[in-house]
Amino acid sequence: GGDHTITYPILQALVAKHGPMGLVHVDAHTDTGDTALGEKIYHGSPFRRCVEEGLLDCGRVVQIGIRGSSYDPDPHKYCREQGFRVVPAEECWMKSLEPLMREVRAQMGDKPMYISFDIDGLDPAYAPGTGTPEIAGLTPAQALEIIRGCKGLNIVGCDLVEVAPMYDVSGNTALLGANLLFEMLCVLPGVKTL
């Protein structure tokens, strides 16, 4: 629930206990903007603020499903300069993400990491109930591959954000969000599944 701003204070609290975090970030947007309408803290800036405060282990940050319009000719430059791995949506189209997640697992290692999942990482055909939809996104099956691909990692927290039920009279976005959260609970360390 909530907009992506909520991840920032959650990571502040987790880092106080665990140190800088690895991050699997699924989203249509990098959320590394600097300001909007003069404000430095908003739903498009949490990961820039996290970098500035040293909350992220930047060599262990992977952003998956990034796409959409931009005001910048090189919209991923800031992320790359920090050492993030950016996986644009077009690199995910029409394929399994299991090979990608094997690489991500190796990159995360056994250090603490966090999963932050913006529902707009999925295509609006599946999840229209969000404030900033972008076409040509991930499928629900790919979302499951990403989450299940994190099983066995040292996950110390996770979130799912940007679900706006009032934009989806079918209720499918909320249903999808709830199921993805259930899947995240199932991959937490120590959870036994059949």
Side-chain angles (χ1 to χ4, degrees):
D3 76 28
H4 224 150
T5 309
I6 68 167
T7 306
Y8 175 41
I10 292 170
L11 287 175
Q12 287 175 317
L14 288 171
V15 167
K17 179 175 182 179
H18 299 284
M21 292 281 132
L23 175 69
V24 171
H25 172 209
V26 181
D27 203 322
H29 313 96
T30 64
D31 290 355
T32 55
D34 193 12
T35 61
L37 303 174
E39 295 296 325
K40 291 185 79 67
I41 298 175
Y42 73 103
H43 69 99
S45 71
F47 300 114
R48 183 177 288 246
R49 304 290 84 89
C50 289
V51 168
E52 291 169 351
E53 290 186 26
L55 306 180
L56 297 174
D57 179 354
C58 293
R60 294 190 313 118
V61 173
V62 180
Q63 298 181 303
I64 305 170
I66 308 301
R67 63 192 189 282
S69 58
S70 173
Y71 301 110
D72 192 307
D74 188 359
H76 310 139
K77 180 179 181 201
Y78 175 84
C79 299
R80 288 192 315 270
E81 287 175 347
Q82 307 317 307
F84 296 4
R85 178 176 181 183
V86 178
V87 183
E90 56 264 27
E91 291 182 19
C92 303
W93 291 344
M94 296 173 280
K95 65 171 121 176
S96 169
L97 299 187
E98 286 184 0
L100 169 66
M101 292 313 295
R102 281 194 293 275
E103 295 172 9
V104 169
R105 290 172 62 76
Q107 185 175 354
M108 292 297 142
D110 60 0
K111 295 179 184 172
M113 57 85 63
Y114 188 86
I115 303 170
S116 190
F117 202 115
D118 187 324
I119 200 71
D120 73 23
L122 294 168
D123 192 273
Y126 306 107
T130 189
T132 51
E134 301 280 0
I135 65 160
L138 304 176
T139 68
Q142 289 173 317
L144 292 178
E145 288 179 320
I146 293 167
I147 294 168
R148 292 176 182 180
C150 291
K151 186 169 179 64
L153 293 175
N154 187 6
I155 304 165
V156 296
C158 53
D159 64 44
L160 184 129
V161 299
E162 303 280 354
V163 174
M166 65 284 223
Y167 296 143
D168 181 5
V169 296
S170 74
N172 285 338
T173 307
L175 174 67
L176 182 53
N179 277 272
L180 294 177
L181 280 169
F182 173 78
E183 292 283 335
M184 285 186 223
L185 292 173
C186 290
V187 300
L188 292 175
V191 174
K192 291 183 170 66
T193 57
L194 298 176

